[in-house]
Amino acid sequence: MDWEAIGVSIRLALATTAILLVIAVPIAAWLAFTRRRWAVVVEAIVALPLVLPPTVLGYYVLVALGTGSPFGRWWQETTGTTLAFSFTGLLVASVLYSMPFAVQPLLAAFAGVDRRLLEASAVLGRRRLHALFRVVLPLSRAGLASAAVLTFAHTVGEFGVVLMVGGNIPGETRTVSVAVYDAVQAFDYETAGRTSLVLLAFSLVVLTATYAIQRHGAGLLVRR
Amino acid sequence: MTAGERMPRGGSALHVDLRLRDVRAAFEVGLGEPGVTVLFGPSGAGKTTVIRAIAGLDRIDDGEIRADDVVWDDGGRRVVPARLRRVGVLFQDRALFPHLDVAANVAYGLQRMPRAERDRRVAEVLAACAVPGYGRRSVRELSGGEAQRVALARALAPNPRLLLLDEPFTGLDQPTRVRLRTELRALVRTTGVPAVVVTHDRDEAIALGDRLVVLIDGRVRQVDSPAVVFDRPADTRVAAAVGMDTIAPARLGGGPAGTVDVGGVRLVAEVDASDLPREVAVCLRAADLGIAAPGSRRPDDATNVVPARVRAVEESAELLRVRLDAGFDLDCLLTRHDARRLPLLPGAAVDAVIPSAAVHLARIAEPV
């Protein structure tokens, strides 16, 4: 059993979820409340990873992160490391790849908040940012929970992007999905089976717990 | 704008002269003194559009909204955002924050205030709105009337310079409506915050308003005291909106001043008709009229007596509405007591008694 790979997967999923919640809230809030027509373009870009094959997305990320690109070069000059085939690079790719899984539940939740409440906030003299934190987010707890779970689960299940951007470095970029694939390639069905089972059980437990929280008390998850 | 508008005294005023979609409205609201301006008109007249523009929730297409010399919205680049206008709004559906308790709802608009002071202010406005000690309650548990009071407290807490109330009593039962509007009127007096109340309800308009702005089909048609609007509507559309039971086309002139010809019947009206056109409409309230047995009443200067036939009688618990044909359609409201000795069967001949003081002449509204 590849415990190291399980560790990498969980670390990657946790970090991706944390980063995406911070990034996705302002994006979803803007999309939900803007009146700009080109918001649909942004919405489409955010949703791209849903339709693009992971290899295509991975290819673009690899090119963008590699030392051939201005960003990749700048990163290398500043940090002395390369992004491609590193955990950080993998994290960047993961964040992009899971973006729709964070943004869309939040967008749905924000759009479901009664506009009248935002108007009430405005006429009471409060800024929109205040309304976001005091009204919109507290009323979107279920959406926040869904966004977190879906992002986490989707990241754990990544395969194509990991292979393209991260490669297969044990303890660094070798995730569970890649480890299972390797084991199968090597006809080591026993290891593949055990690792798969752990992943299956883990995913099931996380999802069950989350849906239970959503159903019986979102208050447990986010402070009222 | 029609004749008889009372300009707000004492300087400070909100000047509204706007076009937003198909609504054009011009009127003023005094900001210096407490008082209730009722924006009155049938549903779909554009009342909510107007107060949303005043609150800053919608931009106007054209015109100007100005508080004294500060332009709030000029339909172009200049705009003061809603949060800086200090206008309290009571939304038709209350719009209380469902995840916050009553105290947190009321405190929402109190910025940069020490906690103790904020708590004191919350307790103060809750008490003023007749929901003292409700702070810890969940807003989901409030009755309609309580929610309305809490929403009012929330709007008043930051000490607005103007209060806007959009159909404030919809969805409440009749006794609660009556109680709340009495309280609201007293509250506006004591807090000194001028208010604009939107309503299509005639009783509410009369009970609450110091001044009525009548808005019909997106146009202001009359600005006057409630008594004047209801007794002397400027035109036939206002007359219909204030519930005149009879509105019949008529022609001025012929005999002495104030004599008018309605469907071949000559009526004396106690009005100054000097600035009216020849073609007008006679407006009558059913409750002002009486019915007498044929030939039992003599006409005099103050009373018109018109022979008529009963068309139909509609009974309700207290009153009878008698529909007459007097050369024109005429409705009378009688008490059961008054109706007792009259032959009120369809087709019966009676005399309609129309006090000349009850005959109002209005302009015929041009079609919009």
Side-chain angles (χ1 to χ4, degrees):
Chain A
M1 172 119 55
D2 196 339
W3 287 109
E4 205 173 35
I6 291 173
V8 168
S9 275
I10 290 174
R11 261 198 301 145
L12 182 67
L14 284 176
T16 303
T17 306
I19 292 170
L20 259 184
L21 282 187
V22 174
I23 296 175
V25 165
I27 292 177
W30 185 82
L31 284 173
F33 303 122
T34 188
R35 288 179 199 170
R36 305 219 184 270
R37 291 209 186 128
W38 47 274
V40 289
V41 179
V42 176
E43 211 173 342
I45 292 171
V46 167
L48 266 182
L50 289 177
V51 292
L52 279 184
T55 44
V56 173
L57 186 84
Y59 165 77
Y60 281 120
V61 172
L62 192 60
V63 170
L65 297 185
T67 47
S69 81
F71 176 75
R73 262 200 308 282
W74 170 82
W75 181 272
Q76 194 180 22
E77 282 161 16
T78 328
T79 66
T81 60
T82 53
L83 274 174
F85 306 110
S86 74
F87 182 79
T88 314
L90 189 56
L91 188 55
V92 172
S94 268
V95 165
L96 293 174
Y97 189 49
S98 291
M99 184 82 79
F101 293 87
V103 170
Q104 288 191 345
L106 288 177
L107 183 53
F110 292 174
V113 172
D114 186 352
R115 292 298 169 101
R116 197 75 68 193
L117 299 178
L118 302 181
E119 294 180 348
S121 175
V123 295
L124 286 166
R126 294 299 194 174
R127 293 176 180 279
R128 288 155 66 104
L129 198 64
H130 186 90
L132 178 65
F133 283 104
R134 286 295 307 278
V135 179
V136 176
L137 283 176
L139 290 173
S140 304
R141 275 172 283 155
L144 278 165
S146 299
V149 172
L150 287 174
T151 304
F152 187 89
H154 186 244
T155 308
V156 168
E158 268 175 37
F159 176 67
V161 169
V162 180
L163 220 52
M164 290 292 287
V165 179
N168 196 355
I169 307 164
E172 174 84 12
T173 65
R174 185 178 149 100
T175 62
V176 179
S177 54
V178 176
V180 171
Y181 178 73
D182 283 350
V184 172
Q185 292 289 74
F187 298 106
D188 184 358
Y189 279 71
E190 202 184 327
T191 307
R194 275 200 305 254
T195 312
S196 295
L197 192 63
V198 168
L199 196 60
L200 181 71
F202 174 79
S203 304
L204 194 62
V205 167
V206 169
L207 286 175
T208 307
T210 314
Y211 286 127
I213 288 167
Q214 268 193 40
R215 188 172 293 194
H216 299 298
L220 298 174
L221 213 67
V222 181
R223 191 168 59 89
R224 284 187 72 117
Chain B
M1 191 125 320
T2 53
E5 172 173 9
R6 209 149 43 88
M7 294 292 279
R9 280 163 298 158
S12 189
L14 180 75
H15 306 264
V16 179
D17 181 0
L18 64 80
R19 185 177 69 78
L20 207 177
R21 294 186 292 275
D22 50 358
V23 175
R24 287 168 194 275
F27 61 93
E28 303 193 351
V29 181
L31 293 176
E33 65 209 57
V36 179
T37 300
V38 168
L39 200 51
F40 173 77
S43 325
K47 306 184 295 291
T48 300
T49 305
V50 171
I51 63 159
R52 285 181 60 84
I54 295 175
L57 297 172
D58 289 327
R59 295 292 313 273
I60 63 174
D61 294 330
D62 214 344
E64 188 177 74
I65 299 175
R66 176 166 59 86
D68 297 327
D69 46 12
V70 179
V71 174
W72 280 1
D73 193 345
D74 65 357
R77 237 177 259 155
R78 276 197 287 179
V79 61
V80 175
R83 71 185 163 86
L84 298 179
R85 294 190 186 185
R86 284 189 55 220
V87 169
V89 180
L90 188 63
F91 293 92
Q92 191 172 347
D93 53 6
R94 336 280 187 243
L96 291 171
F97 302 118
H99 59 298
L100 300 176
D101 65 14
V102 168
N105 263 280
V106 175
Y108 191 91
L110 301 173
Q111 314 196 34
R112 280 180 238 100
M113 202 181 256
R115 200 193 166 88
E117 197 184 324
R118 198 173 57 208
D119 291 349
R120 200 164 52 240
R121 178 69 182 150
V122 169
E124 186 183 52
V125 287
L126 283 176
C129 296
V131 276
Y134 273 53
R136 294 271 75 83
R137 296 209 197 178
S138 157
V139 297
R140 297 175 209 259
E141 292 160 10
L142 301 176
S143 71
E146 289 167 344
Q148 191 64 346
R149 291 184 168 99
V150 170
L152 186 61
R154 183 180 68 173
L156 283 170
N159 217 347
R161 58 194 303 195
L162 176 67
L163 194 58
L164 305 176
L165 303 97
D166 188 4
E167 302 274 2
F169 309 115
T170 41
L172 302 174
D173 55 66
Q174 187 59 20
T176 309
R177 294 170 81 107
V178 173
R179 201 167 57 240
L180 267 177
R181 78 182 178 220
T182 313
E183 285 177 21
L184 179 66
R185 194 171 166 82
L187 193 64
V188 170
R189 292 276 177 289
T190 53
T191 56
V193 182
V196 176
V197 178
V198 161
T199 185
H200 66 272
D201 185 298
R202 294 170 200 145
D203 294 332
E204 261 168 48
I206 288 198
L208 282 171
D210 297 303
R211 210 162 138 263
L212 253 57
V213 175
V214 183
L215 190 68
I216 299 173
D217 282 338
R219 301 287 183 282
V220 174
R221 307 200 75 111
Q222 191 168 3
V223 182
D224 262 314
S225 71
V228 171
V229 172
F230 277 76
D231 294 342
R232 304 265 172 247
D235 65 35
T236 46
R237 298 182 74 93
V238 178
V242 299
M244 283 288 179
D245 299 277
T246 296
I247 303 170
R251 176 176 288 238
L252 266 177
T259 310
V260 65
D261 185 312
V262 200
V265 178
R266 176 162 288 194
L267 291 181
V268 178
E270 264 179 37
V271 289
D272 174 14
S274 53
D275 60 346
L276 284 172
R278 224 169 115 69
E279 303 292 334
V280 292
V282 160
C283 304
L284 297 164
R285 282 195 185 278
D288 292 338
L289 312 183
I291 294 179
S296 67
R297 279 290 294 268
R298 292 190 166 280
D300 54 45
D301 281 354
T303 317
N304 300 283
V305 177
V306 179
R309 284 205 178 275
V310 176
R311 287 192 296 130
V313 179
E314 290 166 15
E315 298 198 42
S316 67
E318 287 175 34
L319 296 171
L320 278 78
R321 180 176 287 269
V322 184
R323 299 193 185 280
L324 300 175
D325 177 1
F328 55 98
D329 287 350
L330 189 64
D331 277 19
C332 289
L333 276 180
L334 299 183
T335 63
R336 292 182 165 281
H337 178 81
D338 288 343
R340 246 182 342 172
R341 270 172 289 183
L342 291 168
L344 294 179
L345 293 170
V350 292
D351 278 353
V353 181
I354 308 173
S356 50
V359 181
H360 171 61
L361 304 181
R363 287 169 191 276
I364 293 173
E366 72 281 13
V368 175

